[in-house]
Amino acid sequence: MENEIVVEVKNLKKYFPIKGGFFGGVTSEVKAVDDVSFSIPAGTTMGLVGESGCGKSTTGRTILRLIEKTSGDIFFKGEDVSAMDKNKLRELRTKMQIIFQDPYSSLSPRLPVGEIIGEAVREHKLVEKAEYQDYITKVMKDCGLQPYHKDRYPHEFSGGQRQRICIARALALNPDFVVCDEPVSALDVSIQAQIINLLWKLQEERKLTYLFISHDLSVVEHISDSLGVMYLGSMVETGKTSDIFAEPLHPYTQALFSAIPMPDPDLKKDRIILEGDIPSPANPPKGCKFHTRCKHCMDCCKEVAPEMKDVGGGHCVCCHLYDK
């Protein structure tokens, strides 16, 4: 269905306890994901960007229930993911998959590639035994791997080929939704382009929906339909990718975009240098979390947390500069 919402996240929070003291009790919490909301329509890609440690990967893993949420709601095609029991969640695992960031540590060195890709297929009984080998061969070919690669081990492959193995493993279960957790950050630029084009081709063929987590803004602009910008566990700006790149509204988004390298060395860009260090997510600033580094900081920013506002066309920003 066109415009069907595949994934919807409402007020998602994930806090990690910090233990200390004589008895090892909980002394405080790291607010890794703090009140994040968004939705992803079927067949589209949402990019999620921000500095390292802002909570992008934690958001993706919490949606898939690889780690359990603290509070909030997660819906997959209208079903509450958090309320599912073990049997229902096991069925869901085939429909929601993840491509991990590191193609080296996410593959077992003890298993041949054919077994890595086909292990979950056999476990979930997705195809008949007689069709199993042909099915794995087709998935490998779709991802740019050759049939003779089945009997080889991960250490025999390059970084780009390993990432293709990771993609094949995720797609072998024929999912509807895939979390791409920085799938090209560990690869050379030429290989990045091949993997991005592969993900694009597979999305067209299989009608996939992606959450694409990255800190490479040029890649996100190329592949994403919508965009979310995170800072210190919170979403500060969301909207269509074209709208945000044409007119970034939040001061943090503006600073991020000013750091994108220009292809032409003769063209100069006004780089926005953020002052100060990123605050601790265990002790975020009162009011707007970004006010300690923002040159537009006002008195209200220090006391009152801004609310997400739609400034038109679904372009939303969380900043007091746009209060009416």
Side-chain angles (χ1 to χ4, degrees), residues 94-270:
T94 63
K95 297 302 176 188
M96 301 172 75
Q97 281 292 302
I98 184 169
I99 300 166
F100 291 101
Q101 177 177 357
D102 187 358
Y104 292 86
S105 62
S106 61
L107 298 175
S108 172
R110 293 188 174 91
L111 294 178
V113 166
E115 184 62 23
I116 289 172
I117 295 171
E119 190 176 24
V121 175
R122 189 188 299 114
E123 181 68 24
H124 287 277
K125 299 180 174 61
L126 292 186
V127 296
E128 299 293 331
K129 280 187 178 181
E131 302 169 6
Y132 173 78
Q133 290 298 335
D134 290 340
Y135 180 77
I136 300 303
T137 299
K138 183 183 183 304
V139 171
M140 291 176 68
K141 282 185 175 180
D142 287 347
C143 295
L145 297 165
Q146 299 303 317
Y148 62 82
H149 288 152
K150 275 186 192 176
D151 300 321
R152 293 188 179 180
Y153 288 81
H155 72 269
E156 300 179 67
F157 293 88
S158 66
Q161 286 176 314
R162 288 189 195 201
Q163 197 60 285
R164 289 176 186 271
I165 296 167
C166 294
I167 293 170
R169 177 177 60 182
L171 296 185
L173 293 172
N174 199 23
D176 295 322
F177 173 65
V178 182
V179 174
C180 305
D181 187 5
E182 304 203 28
V184 296
S185 64
L187 307 176
D188 293 338
V189 175
S190 59
I191 306 299
Q192 283 186 12
Q194 293 176 21
I195 297 300
I196 292 296
N197 289 334
L198 172 63
L199 290 171
W200 217 347
K201 179 173 78 77
L202 292 169
Q203 183 176 42
E204 288 290 316
E205 292 173 356
R206 296 170 177 247
K207 309 300 180 194
L208 294 170
T209 305
Y210 291 146
L211 175 63
F212 193 90
I213 298 167
S214 180
H215 55 251
D216 190 330
L217 292 166
S218 56
V219 170
V220 169
E221 183 181 16
H222 182 65
I223 197 172
S224 301
D225 300 293
S226 60
L227 186 63
V229 182
M230 287 186 73
Y231 178 78
L232 212 65
S234 298
M235 198 77 81
V236 297
E237 189 166 353
T238 62
K240 294 178 183 176
T241 303
S242 55
D243 291 345
I244 295 179
F245 271 86
E247 189 182 5
L249 298 177
H250 197 279
Y252 175 65
T253 311
Q254 293 168 359
L256 269 187
F257 284 16
S258 76
I260 301 174
M262 298 293 287
D264 188 343
D266 295 326
L267 288 176
K268 298 298 179 186
K269 184 188 284 189
D270 292 331

Side-chain angles (χ1 to χ4, degrees), residues 20-26:
F22 186 76
F23 296 104
V26 176

Side-chain angles (χ1 to χ4, degrees), residues 9 14 27 31 33-35 37 52 56 77 81 99 109 115-117 133 147 166 180 184 226 253 266 275 292 298 313:
V9 176
K14 177 56 187 176
T27 56
K31 296 180 179 180
V33 181
D34 195 12
D35 203 22
S37 300
S52 295
K56 305 185 298 294
K77 293 188 174 180
V81 175
I99 300 166
E115 184 62 23
I116 289 172
I117 295 171
Q133 290 298 335
C166 294
C180 305
V184 296
S226 60
T253 311
D266 295 326
E275 302 293 333
T292 57
M298 302 175 287

Side-chain angles (χ1 to χ4, degrees), residues 229 234-238 248-254 287-291 294-298 300-302 304-311 315-324:
V229 182
S234 298
M235 198 77 81
V236 297
E237 189 166 353
T238 62
L249 298 177
H250 197 279
Y252 175 65
T253 311
Q254 293 168 359
C288 175
K289 292 181 179 181
F290 187 62
H291 86 258
C294 182
K295 65 180 181 181
H296 302 290
C297 180
M298 302 175 287
C300 62
C301 303
K302 300 175 183 178
V304 182
E307 294 183 358
M308 190 69 82
K309 293 169 283 291
D310 191 332
V311 296
H315 190 168
C316 301
V317 62
C318 191
C319 181
H320 287 301
L321 289 173
Y322 303 94
D323 289 346
K324 292 183 180 178

